[in-house]
Amino acid sequence: MEIKTTTENGITILTPVARVDTSTAKVFEDGVMGAINSSNKIAICFNEIDYISSAGLRVVLMAGKKLTSLNGKLALIDMPEKIFSVFKMSGFDKILKIYPSLEESKSFFN
Amino acid sequence: MLIIVKNNINEISRVCDIVRKFCEEHNVSNEKCHDITLILDEIITNIVNYAYPDNKEHELSVDIDKIGVHITLRLVDSGIAFDPLAQADPDVESSLEERKVGGLGIFIAKQLSDELKYSRINGQNQLDIRVAIYSEGKDNGN
């Protein structure tokens, strides 16, 4: 599993590729937690994955908690419908910020 | 179709590949196939992580079938007795700060299944799962 990293207007954008499941969650965790060490504005973009299991949701939740404790911000952007349904089912749509695109998350970061 | 699985996390992607092929051959939609593989992923992950405290190699079985409008899954393992349905659901209404990390896998599997039945038979855990492959008739509570 690969995580692409780009930066735009001070926001670090992480794009995991392919699948986030039990066997790849550790790579995802290391990538996300590593990014938090150097930036407190993080966007995770989901448009290049087609599958996420609870192992991946756990990492997203940990990132949300960590950034909140550091007065940072986490946005989840560009989720395919199937991925969104898993987040919604888990109640994560109520505790994390989900936006259709990076553009639409900008006012949250500013 | 019976699939024998070792209690190793790396087996999960192999099982999911076999199940995706089964779904294709039985004209199950991509969306339902996604749900079925996610259920299996969560349940097998749980078995691999918790069923065998001796850390030795064991086998479990997954039997997948299409019966009428349902995909049926029967998972059998000889690990310690564990009824996934008896576990408390995570509090999906709690705040970010209070929300516990973990406990979500079984909850997701329950949400995506139309029927789940646990039995402890002859020292084995048996979990029977049914998923309707047509989304009509499933009440999502919305």
Side-chain angles (χ1 to χ4, degrees):
Chain A
M1 186 210 176
E2 181 204 350
I3 304 173
K4 296 180 192 169
T5 307
T6 55
T7 307
E8 201 176 313
N9 300 325
I11 303 165
T12 302
I13 304 144
L14 304 173
T15 306
V17 181
R19 300 165 59 80
V20 185
D21 58 18
T22 308
S23 63
T24 60
K26 186 73 178 79
V27 178
F28 184 51
E29 180 177 338
D30 291 347
V32 173
M33 291 306 176
I36 293 175
N37 284 333
S38 48
S39 168
N40 68 354
K41 288 183 181 180
I42 305 276
I44 305 176
C45 174
F46 289 86
N47 70 357
E48 292 193 38
I49 65 165
D50 56 13
Y51 184 92
I52 190 163
S53 75
S54 64
L57 294 182
R58 182 180 161 275
V59 174
V60 176
L61 182 62
M62 282 166 55
K65 282 173 177 281
K66 179 86 180 163
L67 280 163
T68 303
S69 73
L70 297 170
N71 288 320
K73 286 182 174 178
L74 173 71
L76 311 177
I77 59 173
D78 209 349
M79 268 187 201
E81 193 161 329
K82 205 66 228 179
I83 302 292
F84 177 69
S85 77
V86 179
F87 274 85
K88 189 165 187 283
M89 183 184 299
S90 308
F92 279 23
D93 57 324
K94 299 194 195 85
I95 51 176
L96 297 166
K97 299 290 181 187
I98 302 176
Y99 296 96
S101 67
L102 182 67
E103 195 54 43
E104 283 159 281
S105 72
K106 279 183 178 157
S107 57
F108 164 65
F109 281 112
N110 288 333
Chain B
M1 183 176 58
L2 190 69
I3 311 164
I4 301 297
V5 188
K6 292 196 169 62
N7 59 326
N8 183 320
I9 288 300
N10 297 320
E11 283 276 86
I12 295 172
S13 60
R14 182 180 68 87
V15 177
C16 289
D17 286 345
I18 297 171
V19 167
R20 266 190 290 274
K21 193 151 177 279
F22 180 92
C23 286
E24 252 172 54
E25 286 165 2
H26 291 81
N27 297 318
V28 177
S29 69
N30 286 341
E31 182 169 297
K32 280 291 161 186
C33 181
H34 167 277
D35 293 354
I36 293 162
T37 52
L38 185 49
I39 293 167
L40 266 180
D41 180 338
E42 300 294 1
I43 300 286
I44 297 175
T45 296
N46 205 69
I47 295 172
V48 169
N49 286 341
Y50 304 111
Y52 302 104
D54 65 4
N55 291 322
K56 289 184 181 152
E57 187 173 291
H58 297 273
E59 284 181 343
L60 55 127
S61 68
V62 178
D63 198 357
I64 182 167
D65 207 349
K66 184 184 172 203
I67 300 174
V69 297
H70 291 94
I71 291 291
T72 62
L73 301 162
R74 170 171 287 181
L75 287 95
V76 178
D77 69 76
S78 47
I80 55 173
F82 177 76
D83 178 359
L85 308 178
Q87 310 308 305
D89 289 338
D91 182 4
V92 296
E93 301 294 332
S94 63
S95 68
L96 178 61
E97 290 78 7
E98 294 165 343
R99 187 67 195 263
K100 298 218 169 33
V101 176
L104 258 181
I106 299 291
F107 179 72
I108 290 173
K110 280 193 212 170
Q111 297 289 306
L112 294 174
S113 304
D114 290 279
E115 198 181 305
L116 274 160
K117 193 167 146 268
Y118 171 80
S119 335
R120 180 79 180 170
I121 301 171
N122 298 327
Q124 294 190 308
N125 297 304
Q126 178 176 306
L127 190 64
D128 286 297
I129 303 166
R130 283 190 346 148
V131 181
I133 50 180
Y134 302 106
S135 35
E136 297 85 12
K138 163 108 187 179
D139 180 6
N140 289 314
N142 294 323

